[in-house]
Amino acid sequence: MKILLTGATGYIGKRLLPILLKEGHTVYCAVRDKNRFTIPEVHSENVKVIELDFLDAESLKMIPQELDMAYYLIHSLSAVQGDFHEMEATTAHNFVEAVSKIKLKQVIFLSGIVNADELSKHLGSRKNVENILAEGNYGFTTFRAGIIVGSGSASFEIIRDLVEKLPVMIAPKWLLTKSHPIAIRDVLQFLTKAKLREDLYNRSFDIAGPDVLTYREMLLRFAKIRGLKRWIGTVPIMTPKLSSYWLYFVTSTSFTLAQNLVDSMKVEVIAKPSNINELLDISPMAYVQAIENAFQRIEQNQIISSWKDSMISGIFNEKLSTYIQVPKFGCFVDQRKMKIENKEEVLNNIWSLGGENGWYAKSLWKIRGYLDKFVGGVGLRRGRTSPTTLHPGDSLDFWRVLLADRTEGRLLLFAEMKLPGEAWLEFKVDQNNILWQTATFRPKGLLGRVYWYSVMPFHGIVFSGMIRSLAKTKNAN
């Protein structure tokens, strides 16, 4: 079967792709930027990558004519520019117009549960997209889910941050809102088992696990699994804006995403009964089991995708290729080099930077992270998805990976922290076993120059210490 997978670099798309490939399908992965898409080594011959921008109708002419079905997994919930409601409507219209020229048999759309008269802006946009997609000349199947629980999901990471960082919580009253969580594993089952099922054409289904819980109950059950005692009280006077700041400062979410989540969390989200579980022979797992499965994945370092690696988790809104060529003119540069003994060990050190391992001069980086969070940046809380591997497009604390090529011995990062300019950090091991470490800053105006000179005293500590730390190997004298 030939399948078009939109949102292939997103949280759901990355997990759906290997399942489709294992089933033997040819998958056309629609991505905005080929540079941040890593083709799985297994079954790679069945992966076709096409660069499409669904906001640009002209680019959609690249969609293959011979397709059997498509998954629509596009959303703009945390767009940092423009109105996400308008953007989602435009992408949906462009998709319908583009595939109307193809004899698609089915389109499957993952949406959100809508069972209130007054929907949040997010859920209202999802419903609007569903209505637009339903106008196409294909069998249309919609699955509506509430909170998705899985390693790396936004909901899971936010709950984890709150529970593990706050022994006592004075929280907004929306923590008493009821929701109907579902495990990511079950979501993927629904998406895959529904392929070309004619009895599901032009129908929509709410999908959920067996537990209806308040957000407070979800936090407390999470705490129990982790062996933590937590006390949670609610107050009725916390405004949506204060609630958004509360989520933003305590968790790894961006402020834009926090605003949209708070808006949605005020609305009760409970799945409507249907026979979809029987039709597809799926028995969704309980919330506690979903949490336990997520931690099994984390402990085994098998997190396939994380919402933090999506571009929506930061401020980066361009193609990676735009920034891979580091500028030379009008920039401040701190470059250091050091002879090394074991290239592979040094590359292991470089590829392990950030996350739980941290950075050299951790206290200074932490202070910088707190300051960044205070002024609206991403801070250090995003960490990294895998402790050992890096791919273009991954988040790495408050950096974004532009290039990660171990064969070439080069790692290039772009700063997503709040800065009066743009910053790159590059590590490269050349053929002569010389480790090069280069920090480049392109200032914006006078403030950018003042910033560079004000942090220069710390460069001698941070950058010189970093290269010495990275160059260390077990056999070094």
Side-chain angles (χ1 to χ4, degrees):
M1 189 186 304
K2 294 182 179 179
I3 301 172
L4 176 66
L5 177 63
T6 67
T9 58
Y11 178 74
I12 302 292
K14 277 187 177 180
R15 296 186 178 226
L16 184 59
L17 176 59
I19 298 174
L20 298 176
L21 294 176
K22 189 175 181 180
E23 291 178 345
H25 306 297
T26 298
V27 184
Y28 291 83
C29 296
V31 298
R32 287 186 62 214
D33 186 354
K34 288 183 178 180
N35 291 300
R36 64 176 300 256
F37 181 79
T38 303
I39 298 177
E41 292 182 8
V42 182
H43 308 293
S44 59
E45 68 278 3
N46 289 334
V47 178
K48 314 295 180 184
V49 185
I50 48 177
E51 200 168 69
L52 304 174
D53 182 353
F54 283 88
L55 288 172
D56 177 12
E58 191 66 22
S59 75
L60 305 189
K61 293 179 180 179
M62 298 296 294
I63 295 177
Q65 297 298 305
E66 300 297 327
L67 291 172
D68 296 298
M69 64 163 296
Y71 286 96
Y72 191 90
L73 302 175
I74 302 170
H75 69 83
S76 307
L77 175 60
S78 292
V80 294
Q81 297 177 352
D83 185 300
F84 78 83
H85 187 280
E86 182 180 339
M87 292 170 68
E88 290 199 326
T90 299
T91 56
H93 279 299
N94 288 343
F95 173 85
V96 171
E97 184 176 347
V99 300
S100 65
K101 303 164 188 175
I102 305 170
K103 294 181 180 179
L104 280 181
K105 297 174 184 175
Q106 184 187 30
V107 170
I108 297 178
F109 173 50
L110 180 62
S111 186
I113 292 175
V114 288
N115 51 13
D117 294 331
E118 293 186 14
L119 298 175
S120 66
K121 191 175 182 180
H122 167 225
L123 292 176
S125 180
R126 295 279 80 192
K127 179 58 178 172
N128 184 50
V129 168
E130 182 180 332
N131 293 338
I132 294 169
L133 296 177
E135 297 172 359
N137 57 347
Y138 40 71
F140 183 52
T141 305
T142 300
F143 290 116
R144 299 171 178 162
I147 282 185
I148 297 176
V149 180
S151 58
S153 75
S155 301
F156 175 86
E157 294 298 339
I158 288 171
I159 292 171
R160 184 182 184 183
D161 280 343
L162 291 173
V163 170
E164 297 188 354
K165 293 175 182 176
L166 299 177
V168 177
M169 295 181 225
I170 305 299
K173 65 178 181 180
W174 48 253
L175 243 64
L176 302 179
T177 303
K178 292 181 179 179
S179 187
H180 214 157
I182 183 171
I184 178 60
R185 189 177 301 181
D186 292 325
V187 172
L188 295 172
Q189 280 199 80
F190 282 110
L191 292 174
T192 52
K193 287 191 173 185
K195 295 190 305 296
L196 300 190
R197 283 284 300 256
E198 294 186 13
D199 54 337
L200 305 185
Y201 288 2
N202 304 316
R203 298 179 67 185
S204 62
F205 303 91
D206 289 359
I207 55 174
D211 303 310
V212 176
L213 304 168
T214 65
Y215 294 108
R216 183 177 184 275
E217 288 172 329
M218 282 190 272
L219 291 169
L220 291 175
R221 291 193 185 189
F222 189 104
K224 186 176 181 180
I225 292 170
R226 300 296 287 160
L228 300 170
K229 291 185 178 180
R230 293 296 183 258
W231 186 89
I232 304 174
T234 58
V235 292
I237 56 175
M238 193 175 290
T239 66
K241 191 168 187 177
L242 283 176
S243 296
S244 301
Y245 278 118
W246 180 71
L247 271 186
Y248 169 67
F249 281 112
V250 176
T251 73
S252 56
T253 183
S254 66
F255 184 69
T256 306
L257 181 57
Q259 283 182 304
N260 290 320
L261 287 174
V262 167
D263 191 32
S264 297
M265 285 172 171
K266 294 181 294 183
V267 180
E268 197 170 81
V269 177
I270 300 176
K272 299 181 186 70
S274 73
N275 64 340
I276 187 61
N277 292 357
E278 291 75 23
L279 285 173
L280 297 181
D281 191 24
I282 297 173
S283 298
M285 67 181 68
Y287 173 76
V288 168
Q289 186 181 352
I291 296 295
E292 291 173 343
N293 285 355
F295 275 106
Q296 286 178 9
R297 288 284 184 177
I298 293 169
E299 290 164 4
Q300 296 168 2
N301 294 326
Q302 293 182 344
I303 305 177
I304 299 173
S305 64
S306 171
W307 81 274
K308 297 175 185 178
D309 291 332
S310 169
M311 293 302 185
I312 67 173
S313 73
I315 61 172
F316 200 90
N317 201 39
E318 303 288 341
K319 288 187 176 182
L320 300 187
S321 56
T322 306
Y323 292 89
I324 285 178
Q325 296 301 321
V326 182
K328 298 184 181 298
F329 299 102
C331 297
F332 295 110
V333 177
D334 183 301
Q335 187 173 68
R336 300 166 193 266
K337 65 177 182 177
M338 184 170 289
K339 181 71 175 179
I340 63 171
E341 294 185 5
N342 188 310
K343 181 176 180 179
E344 281 305 308
E345 281 193 50
V346 171
L347 289 177
N348 287 339
N349 293 340
I350 294 171
W351 255 251
S352 299
L353 274 170
E356 294 296 324
N357 295 326
W359 304 76
Y360 179 82
K362 286 184 179 180
S363 58
L364 290 177
W365 283 110
K366 283 183 178 179
I367 292 171
R368 184 64 183 86
Y370 292 139
L371 290 173
D372 187 58
K373 198 78 172 176
F374 184 76
V375 297
V378 296
L380 285 172
R381 292 199 182 106
R382 290 189 308 185
R384 54 183 294 164
T385 300
S386 168
T388 56
T389 61
L390 291 171
H391 299 290
D394 286 359
S395 65
L396 181 57
D397 294 322
F398 44 38
W399 301 92
R400 180 71 63 178
V401 179
L402 296 179
L403 187 149
D405 189 333
R406 283 195 64 129
T407 303
E408 186 184 349
R410 185 184 178 205
L411 176 66
L412 178 61
L413 310 175
F414 181 80
E416 289 198 290
M417 63 192 84
K418 290 282 188 177
L419 290 170
E422 298 164 331
W424 291 258
L425 183 59
E426 180 177 2
F427 305 96
K428 185 172 183 179
V429 180
D430 66 20
Q431 295 179 344
N432 299 315
N433 271 14
I434 302 294
L435 169 61
W436 295 85
Q437 175 185 280
T438 308
T440 303
F441 180 69
R442 181 162 62 185
K444 288 185 179 178
L446 178 62
L447 184 60
R449 288 164 173 77
V450 171
Y451 170 81
W452 176 262
Y453 288 116
S454 67
V455 298
M456 274 189 68
F458 301 103
H459 288 177
I461 302 173
V462 175
F463 291 137
S464 62
M466 182 181 293
I467 193 169
R468 287 197 304 270
S469 179
L470 293 174
K472 283 183 181 178
T473 58
K474 294 177 182 179
N475 297 322
N477 294 325

